[in-house]
Amino acid sequence: MPAVPSGPGGRGWLLRLVIAFSFAQGAVSMARPAVSYRALSLGADERAIGVIAGVYALLPLFAAVPLGRRTDHGRCAPLLPVGVVLISGGCALSGTAGSLAAMAAWSGVMGLGHLCFVIGAQSIVARQSAPAEQDRNFGHFTIGASLGQLIGPIAAGALIGADTGRTSAFALVVSAVVGAVSLTSLWRIEHKRPEAAPARGERVPVLGILRTRGVPAGIFISLAVLSATDILTAYLPVVGEHRGIAPATVGLLLSLRAAATIACRLVMTPLIRALGRTVLLTGTCLLGGVLCAGVALPVPVWGLALMLAALGFCLGVGQPLSMTTVVQAAPDGARSTALALRLTGNRLGQVAAPASAGLVAGVAGVAAPFVMLGGLLLLAAGLGARKRPGARKRPGGARSPRGTTTRADRKVTERS
């Protein structure tokens, strides 16, 4: 997948992609709590809510690798409007569903749409960013997700009132409209590819991608960071209930975490220049693990606020840098598939981490999941510290995985 350098003033496509991702992620972040309230109004219990949430994460698992394969051998942009249509359709139809089975089905459609959008968008960033720009561009791209995660739940909370059945249905219809707005930014995002796509016979097996040094580490780091974010969102209200912290305060604490993540991604480029990506990734995972475990301590609210702000900043590093890690480690012609495998790991984490946290909390108390997450992030820090073996440098400073020679390397050799 040859990269297309952005060039001076040539990053308008990235800004439009960030705007589109903000609306798409905002729609999903707004719809997911609304789906839970809607299901409760239809008579769902905690187990049914868990099943509906699980379908959102599980259904896309079967589509991730085929979508990645398709993107490796073709254009990325068509996946974006398809994803938006599926997200908006899943939101709107969830609002009109009359049974829990229908709710689960449309939740799965929404998850599939989100997966389509993210695979297409991440592949565009990887393909159109010069190697030296990938960390910065992935960091800016993930700001769109952070903005959606910040605004979506607040908007859902403002719309859902005492009559949860009616107001949650309305919130889902509104989220469908929010998702559809992203279509207005999906123009001239993908450049023409400078070289023909690799032949289908050159496909790298999935196991071959997973065995490439650096890919498993990138997948695990992404899984650990996303699991920490998800469980923090799910269990901080429970911790607040046990410590007598008002729900409004808990909401502000979670918003503070999301705002710190956005701030981190805005200053990621100078941080990488100052520290280096390996030190930055390892250090933030290490500090994040300590802070996650610290949430289990009975600290005052102001201390919890400081810890969550620092934790949000640390968690902001893992996702964009894990994308770059996977893209630069993956074999040529398999980068979209590698990104899809990373997303598959994220989905597995979204299913397994809450289940594990629930078991741990049931045995050792509500603060125990944060200690578990601390250990997970410390393990991610250890993986982040491992350097890939010496590889040939590509033009622009990136490296070819496992010392292989890329098409770009061969062109430079031929010209010389």
Side-chain angles (χ1 to χ4, degrees):
M1 186 191 299
V4 180
S6 300
R11 288 198 295 146
W13 64 270
L14 182 59
L15 176 60
R16 292 191 292 276
L17 189 60
V18 170
I19 292 171
F21 194 22
S22 299
F23 281 102
Q25 183 64 57
V28 170
S29 298
M30 185 178 176
R32 294 198 72 188
V35 163
S36 296
Y37 282 112
R38 174 73 176 164
L40 288 171
S41 71
L42 294 174
D45 56 13
E46 291 82 356
R47 195 179 313 169
I49 295 292
V51 170
I52 292 172
V55 171
Y56 171 89
L58 280 174
L59 185 61
L61 288 178
F62 302 100
V65 172
L67 285 172
R69 289 291 196 200
R70 178 226 168 267
T71 307
D72 274 324
H73 297 277
R75 297 181 62 231
C76 311
L79 280 180
L80 303 183
V82 169
V84 171
V85 169
L86 291 174
I87 289 170
S88 294
C91 291
L93 291 168
S94 293
T96 60
S99 69
L100 296 179
M103 290 289 297
W106 297 127
S107 179
V109 169
M110 191 193 315
L112 183 61
H114 187 260
L115 180 79
C116 288
F117 189 98
V118 172
I119 287 178
Q122 288 182 6
S123 299
I124 287 174
V125 176
R127 184 174 290 176
Q128 296 186 177
S129 302
E133 298 175 334
Q134 285 177 344
D135 285 325
R136 179 196 65 193
N137 287 357
F138 275 125
H140 290 173
F141 166 71
T142 52
I143 289 173
S146 298
L147 286 171
Q149 291 165 356
L150 175 65
I151 298 170
I154 296 173
L159 291 174
I160 299 172
D163 183 3
T164 56
R166 182 179 61 81
T167 55
S168 61
F170 177 67
L172 285 163
V173 173
V174 172
S175 67
V177 175
V178 170
V181 172
S182 63
L183 292 171
T184 61
S185 294
L186 297 179
W187 49 276
R188 295 182 63 188
I189 282 183
E190 185 173 23
H191 300 154
K192 290 183 179 179
R193 300 184 65 178
E195 295 182 22
R200 291 188 179 273
E202 300 175 20
R203 292 198 311 178
V204 182
V206 169
L207 286 179
I209 299 171
L210 290 174
R211 287 179 184 143
T212 304
R213 183 78 178 273
V215 172
I219 291 172
F220 185 84
I221 291 167
S222 178
L223 183 155
V225 171
L226 185 65
S227 296
T229 303
D230 278 4
I231 293 178
L232 185 68
T233 303
Y235 275 85
L236 193 63
V238 182
V239 171
E241 186 72 20
H242 278 72
R243 297 183 189 175
I245 303 173
T249 304
V250 171
L252 288 174
L253 290 172
L254 289 172
S255 296
L256 178 64
R257 193 281 310 162
T261 297
I262 295 173
C264 165
R265 288 166 180 171
L266 288 171
V267 298
M268 187 171 296
T269 300
L271 284 176
I272 292 172
R273 287 175 184 158
L275 301 174
R277 65 189 318 275
T278 300
V279 171
L280 181 62
L281 184 59
T282 303
T284 52
C285 284
L286 183 63
L287 180 57
V290 173
L291 290 167
C292 240
V295 174
L297 300 175
V299 297
V301 172
W302 63 266
L304 192 59
L306 290 176
M307 283 198 297
L308 287 172
L311 180 57
F313 194 91
C314 291
L315 294 178
V317 171
Q319 292 288 8
L321 290 195
S322 69
M323 292 178 199
T324 309
T325 298
V326 168
V327 165
Q328 294 187 354
D332 283 343
R335 292 176 192 158
S336 292
T337 305
L339 286 169
L341 289 169
R342 174 186 165 277
L343 290 171
T344 300
N346 286 353
R347 298 296 195 189
L348 287 172
Q350 286 180 303
V351 174
S356 303
L359 291 173
V360 171
V363 173
V366 295
F370 296 103
V371 178
M372 180 193 79
L373 287 175
L376 197 66
L377 287 169
L378 291 177
L379 181 55
L383 291 173
R386 295 177 62 193
K387 292 184 179 179
R388 290 186 289 121
R392 295 174 61 92
K393 282 199 172 185
R394 294 178 187 164
R399 293 178 177 270
S400 306
R402 303 175 69 92
T404 57
T405 303
T406 65
R407 288 187 298 273
D409 291 331
R410 290 194 294 271
K411 280 193 169 184
V412 171
T413 303
E414 290 166 2
R415 287 171 188 159
S416 62

